[in-house]
């Protein structure tokens, strides 16, 4: 789940073909995040994992190296591969973030997720309102239109919502805001996941209206209004995420 939007596309439940390497990465990575492989414990030895996943030693070792790079595992001589403590996890890695979607609810993680958004996205919206261009506004209005025409398709609606936030992040010209793509997408996934099976038109209508206001404030150069409107959309996501848990 490394391409922007891929996590939201996966909410439909359609499985995607995986090669052996990515399958092992996904299974062990998701297992670490969910607690199936507990922090501080040692993974089964190579022979056991090779048998479990039906892969060669080469495929297994490459997958474990990838997970080490993401901070989830640490190899120790004469000990084996252990599950690293949470402080080492690369939480800005889109794949690590995506694995949290299916894990048991972690209130501290969810709180931190929305707090980081509240810290950076509203200021980004204010900055964009200060120096927006006609092309940027055109793109924002395009994604608003996509939301309007996707009210009967929660997945397309969610993707349009996310793309709007990406446009704003890009327009802020702040690399640290751009680094939030995965985090913003995960927040949207938490909010929209219940809509995939049980769409609520009232929820989508409210989300649409709040985003129309956000773009309107940016278009008219209202920095304070854009900042508040962005805060309101983030709070909306938070409330929906908490309400369904």
């Amino acid at each position: 789940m490394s391409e922007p939007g891929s996590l939201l596309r996966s909410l439909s439940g359609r499985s995607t073909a995986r090669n052996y390497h990515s399958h092992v990465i996904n299974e062990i990575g998701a297992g670490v995040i969910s607690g199936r492989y507990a922090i501080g414990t040692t993974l089964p030895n190579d022979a056991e994992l090779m048998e479990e996943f039906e892969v060669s030693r080469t495929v297994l070792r490459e997958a474990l190296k990838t997970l080490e790079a993401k901070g989830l595992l640490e190899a120790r001589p004469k000990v084996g591969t252990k599950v690293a403590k949470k402080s080492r996890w690369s939480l800005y890695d889109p794949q690590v973030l995506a694995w949290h979607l299916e894990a048991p609810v972690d209130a501290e993680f969810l709180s931190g997720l929305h707090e980081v958004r509240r810290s950076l996205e509203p200021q980004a919206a204010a900055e964009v309102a200060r120096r927006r261009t006609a092309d940027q506004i055109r793109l924002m209005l395009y994604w608003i239109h996509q939301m309007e025409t996707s009210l009967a398709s929660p997945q397309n609606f969610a993707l349009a919502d996310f793309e709007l936030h990406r446009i704003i992040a890009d327009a802020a010209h702040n690399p640290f805001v751009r680094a939030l793509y995965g985090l913003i997408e995960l927040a949207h996934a938490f909010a929209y996941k219940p809509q995939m099976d049980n769409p609520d038109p009232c929820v989508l209508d409210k989300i649409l209206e709040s985003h129309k206001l956000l773009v309107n404030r940016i278009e008219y150069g209202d920095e304070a209004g854009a900042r508040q409107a962005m805060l309101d959309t983030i709070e909306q996501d938070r409330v929906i995420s908490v309400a369904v848990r």
Side-chain angles (χ1 to χ4, degrees):
M1 301 297 179
S2 57
E3 290 298 315
S6 59
L7 177 59
L8 289 169
R9 291 186 183 92
S10 76
L11 294 180
S12 63
R14 290 192 297 270
S15 59
T16 55
R18 294 192 182 98
N19 59 37
Y20 288 116
H21 177 256
S22 63
H23 175 67
V24 176
I25 291 172
N26 188 71
E27 289 300 307
I28 297 179
V32 169
I33 301 300
S34 69
R36 182 161 60 91
Y37 298 113
I39 292 172
T41 60
T42 302
L43 291 185
N45 62 40
D46 284 6
E48 292 178 84
L49 291 173
M50 289 162 58
E51 181 178 0
E52 178 182 352
F53 297 115
E54 300 181 336
V55 296
S56 67
R57 187 179 301 275
T58 298
V59 169
L60 176 64
R61 296 313 300 173
E62 286 302 313
L64 295 179
K65 285 180 182 178
T66 298
L67 292 165
E68 283 186 64
K70 294 176 184 293
L72 300 184
L73 302 177
E74 49 187 350
R76 295 184 178 181
K78 300 182 180 180
V79 175
T81 302
K82 302 195 74 171
V83 178
K85 52 188 177 182
K86 286 185 178 182
S87 61
R88 294 174 59 92
W89 296 0
S90 299
L91 288 181
Y92 282 91
D93 182 298
Q95 199 168 26
V96 175
L97 285 167
W99 287 325
H100 282 81
L101 186 61
E102 300 300 331
V105 177
D106 183 331
E108 183 178 283
F109 176 83
L110 280 177
S111 176
L113 178 74
H114 296 295
E115 185 58 38
V116 170
R117 293 188 68 193
R118 284 194 295 268
S119 298
L120 293 176
E121 281 194 272
Q123 182 56 39
E127 180 62 24
V128 176
R130 185 174 68 83
R131 58 178 184 181
R132 75 274 182 226
T133 67
D135 280 345
Q136 289 165 351
I137 295 300
R138 177 180 58 79
L139 284 171
M140 291 179 210
L141 291 173
Y142 169 80
W143 288 113
I144 286 292
H145 177 68
Q146 291 302 109
M147 292 173 73
E148 287 179 318
T149 57
S150 300
L151 285 168
S153 174
Q155 185 180 65
N156 290 338
F157 186 96
L159 284 164
D161 182 348
F162 172 56
E163 289 298 333
L164 175 58
H165 282 264
R166 281 220 300 157
I167 293 297
I168 295 171
D170 282 339
H173 298 292
N174 184 328
F176 294 99
V177 176
R178 289 194 189 103
L180 296 180
Y181 283 171
L183 190 149
I184 294 170
E185 183 174 5
L186 178 61
H188 281 69
F190 275 124
Y192 282 107
K193 188 178 180 182
Q195 296 296 317
M196 300 301 157
D197 296 323
N198 299 294
D200 185 339
C202 292
V203 170
L204 298 186
D205 281 338
K206 289 177 182 178
I207 292 173
L208 174 60
E209 290 308 310
S210 68
H211 285 73
K212 281 183 176 179
L213 177 60
L214 171 61
V215 173
N216 176 272
R217 292 302 84 203
I218 291 174
E219 182 176 11
Y220 283 91
D222 180 357
E223 295 179 48
R227 182 183 291 107
Q228 184 58 53
M230 180 62 85
L231 276 169
D232 291 343
T233 69
I234 295 169
E235 177 63 11
Q236 202 169 42
D237 287 346
R238 187 195 69 80
V239 170
I240 295 171
S241 298
V242 171
V244 298
R245 281 167 171 73

